Amino acid sequence: MSMMLLSGSLLLAHAMLTLAMACAAIRLLRGPRAEDRVLALDTLYVSAMLVLLTIGMRGGNAHFFDAALVIGTLGFVATAALAKFLLRGEVIE
Amino acid sequence: MTGVNDPGLAVALITAMLVVAGAALTLVGALGLLRLKTFYERVHAPTMGSTLGSGCVLLASIVLFSALESRPVLHEIAIGVFVTLTTPVTFMLLMRAAMQRDRIGGGDGRGETPNGDDG
Amino acid sequence: MRRWLPFPWLWLSLTALWLLLNQTMSVGHLLLGALFAFVICHGYRLLEAPRATRRGPWRRAAVAVRLLADVAIDIVRSNAAVARIVLGPGARARTAGFLDIPIELRDPLALATLACIVTATPGTSWARYDAEGSILTLHILDLIDEAAWIRIVKDRYEARLRKIFE
């Protein structure tokens, strides 16, 4: 009973997060502004991080946590660099 | 679901509710990214996923793994703190970039953009 | 003490982060984490980070706990509000716009905390801070009652942040 509840809800969450990634990807492709695309990329990163966490929870494998942490870190650096580029036209001044 | 022991009904219930709520919030945030009309409105939507959405999923992960491994598993807090501290930086940079580009593009940087924000 | 260990709270939280990431309380990791945190703290000093000696830690901690509780409530509430806007019919009357708020907050750490709070609540986002005029500009998704938003930022957040940081 509890196993079914757990696996069902994790599957549902997984599907919803994948859908969220799809929405972000559509906004990433559609734009129209460059800022929109960067914002969509950030959303994509956060959703991907959560997807990795749910994968880890489905398999009972805590090692996906490290992958999620890396995605979170890289996502921040990438979005900040892109936003900085939009602001000044250079990443490092 | 291989290699998972039964964590018990109470833990399963709490985890299920938290994880579904978190995923739903993230999905609504991403939908907002699609549905809202201008960039400045769209900035608000993804924060749902990066605050309460990821908070719920991280809490679910803490509950589940603590029960599975019969010891407190708290390293998800690190992700939570990290996301909370870094999101303002990226969003402030993005807002400033958008406002500055609006100003250069002829608008005053405060209102609707003059050049094509069709959503 | 100050010269030997420039940022005790930073040192403590970095050591805690190390133990958290390694999921251990063993003496070896404790020493290693403490050493790394020590080195990072001395590196951090080169950045000339703002620092102030503040009095009354327990009183300030109590204010901080109350502020955190209120922020948690606000996050849940504003998540629900934004979800309603996103899922609701598109043609509903709603004005999004910028709002200028005069604030007296000066401390950089306090302003950074305010930025975290404002960004963490969906529906408000930090647009600009003018240090000379002390004007904070926010973008607000559902700008119906300007006075209410100003009251939230000033009474709920700013007043407490001033108690904590100044």
Side-chain angles (χ1 to χ4, degrees):
Chain A
M1 172 61 194
S2 61
M3 288 305 278
M4 256 174 63
L5 178 67
L6 201 59
S7 59
S9 63
L10 282 171
L11 191 65
L12 180 64
H14 207 153
M16 285 196 284
L17 287 171
T18 314
L19 212 57
M21 284 180 78
C23 290
I26 293 173
R27 179 52 79 197
L28 179 69
L29 294 174
R30 262 211 341 222
R33 300 179 58 150
E35 291 88 8
D36 279 313
R37 296 177 205 270
V38 178
L39 189 65
L41 188 69
D42 191 62
T43 317
L44 203 59
Y45 268 120
V46 171
S47 319
M49 188 185 84
L50 296 182
V51 164
L52 275 177
L53 280 173
T54 48
I55 291 178
M57 283 160 78
R58 282 177 77 184
N61 185 346
H63 289 109
F64 279 93
F65 165 83
D66 299 293
L69 189 64
V70 168
I71 286 216
T73 320
L74 285 181
F76 163 63
V77 175
T79 338
L82 283 170
K84 194 81 181 22
F85 179 75
L86 291 180
L87 193 62
R88 292 262 189 266
E90 281 174 65
V91 177
I92 299 170
E93 288 164 55
Chain B
M1 291 289 280
T2 48
V4 180
N5 303 317
D6 195 329
L9 187 60
V11 170
L13 200 63
I14 294 171
T15 311
M17 284 195 312
L18 281 174
V19 86
V20 169
L25 282 169
T26 313
L27 178 57
V28 172
L31 271 178
L33 196 64
L34 273 186
R35 280 199 66 184
L36 297 176
K37 291 284 178 284
T38 66
F39 170 75
Y40 294 110
E41 291 185 9
R42 286 195 280 268
V43 169
H44 298 286
T47 15
M48 293 177 66
S50 56
T51 56
L52 201 56
S54 50
C56 283
V57 176
L58 290 169
L59 202 58
S61 177
I62 289 177
V63 170
L64 182 65
F65 281 114
S66 298
L68 284 181
E69 301 187 13
S70 319
R71 68 187 172 89
V73 175
L74 296 175
H75 59 350
E76 281 84 358
I77 293 175
I79 289 191
V81 169
F82 187 76
V83 168
T84 316
L85 289 184
T86 53
T87 322
V89 179
T90 45
F91 280 53
M92 275 161 90
L93 277 175
L94 263 183
M95 281 295 271
R96 272 179 59 188
M99 289 165 83
Q100 190 185 330
R101 282 159 69 96
D102 273 354
R103 254 200 313 280
I104 292 169
D108 61 355
R110 304 277 306 239
E112 303 305 292
T113 52
N115 41 2
D117 220 344
D118 56 30
Chain C
M1 178 68 182
R2 278 283 172 189
R3 175 170 299 180
W4 180 73
L5 186 62
F7 300 97
W9 286 108
L10 181 68
W11 176 78
L12 207 62
S13 40
L14 282 174
T15 312
L17 180 68
W18 179 266
L19 292 175
L20 209 57
L21 285 176
N22 285 295
Q23 299 201 63
T24 173
M25 283 298 286
S26 70
V27 182
H29 269 300
L30 193 67
L31 286 176
L32 195 60
L35 180 69
F36 281 148
F38 180 74
V39 172
I40 291 172
C41 282
H42 274 273
Y44 189 68
R45 193 159 58 171
L46 299 177
L47 296 175
E48 293 179 22
R51 184 210 295 165
T53 45
R54 304 184 178 90
R55 300 265 164 247
W58 295 113
R59 192 180 48 80
R60 284 192 284 112
V63 179
V65 167
R66 247 175 298 152
L67 177 67
L68 273 182
D70 271 358
V71 168
I73 294 170
D74 284 355
I75 286 178
V76 174
R77 206 182 283 161
S78 60
N79 263 284
V82 174
R84 222 173 295 135
I85 288 173
V86 169
L87 296 176
R92 209 183 66 117
R94 172 174 57 80
T95 45
F98 290 91
L99 175 66
D100 286 333
I101 302 172
I103 59 171
E104 287 108 67
L105 219 52
R106 285 272 160 197
D107 187 273
L109 276 175
L111 284 168
T113 315
L114 184 62
C116 282
I117 295 173
V118 166
T119 315
T121 45
T124 53
S125 64
W126 183 286
R128 179 168 41 195
Y129 171 66
D130 176 16
E132 280 160 23
S134 294
I135 300 277
L136 169 66
T137 309
L138 299 181
H139 186 270
I140 291 173
L141 185 57
D142 198 359
L143 191 61
I144 292 173
D145 189 357
E146 295 196 4
W149 280 109
I150 292 179
R151 214 163 40 239
I152 288 176
V153 172
K154 286 200 73 81
D155 295 353
R156 246 171 123 80
Y157 304 148
E158 191 200 356
R160 271 126 169 222
L161 284 172
R162 290 189 71 182
K163 271 187 202 157
I164 297 171
F165 286 101
E166 288 174 0

